[in-house]
Amino acid sequence: MIRNILGSLVALAGAASAVLSPFRDWYDGRAGRDYRVRDLFEGITATESGVLVSILLPFLFAALLVIAGVVLRSRLAVALAGLVVLGFTILWMVRQGQAAGSLTVGGDGAGLQVGVVNALAGGVLMLIGALLMRGRGWGRGPARARREREPVEPYAAPPADQVDTWPPTQEPGMSTHTSPWPEPEVDPYTGPDPHDPRTRSYPQAPPPGRPGDPRDPVHPPRQPPEG
């Protein structure tokens, strides 16, 4: 989401720069809107051009393509718009160089001027925006998206004839246990049973109201020897 937003902003900034560039000077004080689109294919002439048939026309088309790409989250559309702007700008530079004999850059209003820089920067920003965008991901269907959301178990259950491989280990031999269920816990030892005569080692008092021998039945006292 963040990448789509950032890429969209960069691409829209590039589209704005490309659309504004024909209204600035391109070469020797001549604005970009004064160059006809047909001059890019037939050669640069001194004939003035209308705004809608000037080099602004392909830049407007590229801007609309960027808007459509941002709405549809299409990286291809945004990248194509950047290539259109860069292609027409480079084509104009070639034709202008042929008409003038060479291209120069001067700070006194002669040669290439700021309008060309705006157009080139706009095309580059569109390509950068296309690279930043993640896109919609048309190749992923609902089933694939559902599988990606489901948690993946680290180990699959072994077949019935290979029970000794559970849990999976890197060492050969039998596993410590062959069942995925936990082993039952053994009752803790709480000492000898006081009601079991085999484990009593001390006399027990008879129950109330019932006579009994208080001596130990397991270890009865010995009679003293007769002297």
Side-chain angles (χ1 to χ4, degrees):
M1 179 61 70
I2 301 299
R3 289 186 57 181
N4 280 329
I5 295 176
L6 182 60
S8 300
L9 292 177
V10 173
L12 291 174
S17 178
V19 171
L20 292 177
S21 65
F23 296 95
R24 311 191 71 175
D25 294 340
W26 277 47
Y27 198 82
D28 285 340
R30 187 178 181 183
R33 63 178 182 273
D34 294 333
Y35 294 95
R36 299 180 301 175
V37 176
R38 60 183 298 181
D39 291 347
L40 303 180
F41 301 96
E42 299 176 358
I44 300 297
T45 63
T47 305
E48 297 293 332
S49 173
V51 176
L52 295 181
V53 294
S54 67
I55 199 174
L56 176 63
L57 182 62
F59 290 175
L60 285 176
F61 171 76
L64 294 176
L65 201 57
V66 168
I67 295 175
V70 169
V71 173
L72 299 176
R73 290 189 294 176
S74 174
R75 301 175 60 186
L76 180 61
V78 177
L80 180 60
L83 293 177
V84 168
V85 173
L86 291 177
F88 275 90
T89 304
I90 294 174
L91 180 60
W92 173 87
M93 295 174 67
V94 172
R95 291 301 185 184
Q96 182 62 45
Q98 292 175 349
S102 63
L103 291 177
T104 59
V105 179
D108 55 353
L112 296 174
Q113 293 183 277
V114 67
V116 181
V117 177
N118 290 146
L120 293 175
V124 172
L125 287 177
M126 292 179 194
L127 293 179
I128 294 176
L131 292 176
L132 291 175
M133 295 174 62
R134 295 182 59 89
R136 182 180 293 271
W138 298 99
R140 296 189 302 174
R144 180 179 177 184
R146 185 170 57 253
R147 288 195 301 268
E148 292 179 355
R149 290 194 301 266
E150 294 178 353
V152 179
E153 295 184 359
Y155 302 106
D161 57 344
Q162 297 180 1
V163 293
D164 58 335
T165 60
W166 182 266
T169 59
Q170 300 296 330
E171 300 179 358
M174 295 292 292
S175 158
T176 56
H177 60 277
T178 59
S179 173
W181 303 104
E183 296 182 355
E185 297 183 359
V186 181
D187 293 337
Y189 176 73
T190 57
D193 187 1
H195 301 289
D196 189 353
R198 295 174 300 175
T199 59
R200 289 204 307 264
S201 60
Y202 51 89
Q204 297 291 330
R210 179 180 302 176
D213 188 359
R215 293 175 302 173
D216 186 1
V218 179
H219 304 284
R222 297 182 177 180
Q223 295 292 334
E226 296 180 359

